Amino acid sequence: MMRLGLHPGGFASRLLNLGQVRGFLLPRLARQVAQSGDAELSALYEEVLSYGPAGDPRPPDPAEIALPIRIRHRGAELCFVNTITTFGAAFDVTLEEIVVEAYFPADDDTARFFRTADPSA
């Protein structure tokens, strides 16, 4: 999802707040690389970092508790709130790998877009 979401030829071209999204996602990925030491994850981080401007993106303000994701889709500007839930227990290492990411409409216009959208389109 990182590759698809941040690649200039992918979803990034639809993001209206790409800098803010990069600033939220890339530090999170960097923490995962540091915690895991996984070489493939490290290579992914370097790859998606190269998609944007040189240097590390500005991390989000610690007071920001939610990431708004603003996209352009079918001529409409849609806004979502992103949440990430990580499961874990001290006695079960496998639970540390379970992450659920969800997107919810952040405003009435976005919710209305999905309530009235043609499902066949």
Side-chain angles (χ1 to χ4, degrees):
M1 289 306 295
M2 289 281 190
R3 185 176 288 123
L4 176 64
L6 296 176
H7 192 281
F11 192 71
S13 65
R14 293 177 167 219
L15 283 169
L16 300 174
N17 62 333
L18 178 59
Q20 185 179 19
V21 171
R22 282 177 48 84
F24 183 83
L25 294 179
L26 290 176
R28 187 178 107 202
L29 182 56
R31 285 190 303 275
Q32 290 174 322
V33 169
Q35 289 171 348
S36 70
D38 186 303
E40 287 184 44
L41 210 51
S42 180
L44 174 64
Y45 175 76
E46 293 302 323
E47 177 186 335
V48 296
L49 188 62
S50 74
Y51 296 159
D56 291 330
R58 183 187 65 81
D61 182 319
E64 294 177 7
I65 61 169
L67 170 67
I69 299 177
R70 294 179 35 240
I71 66 169
R72 176 140 334 266
H73 178 68
R74 296 186 185 163
E77 182 177 322
L78 306 175
C79 188
F80 300 90
V81 174
N82 168 266
T83 64
I84 300 166
T85 305
T86 304
F87 294 87
F91 57 86
D92 192 346
V93 174
T94 58
L95 283 177
E96 291 179 15
E97 297 175 7
I98 299 174
V99 177
V100 176
E101 192 161 355
Y103 298 85
F104 299 97
D107 57 31
D108 290 338
D109 290 339
T110 301
R112 188 176 312 104
F113 178 88
F114 286 101
R115 280 194 308 270
T116 61
D118 179 1
S120 65

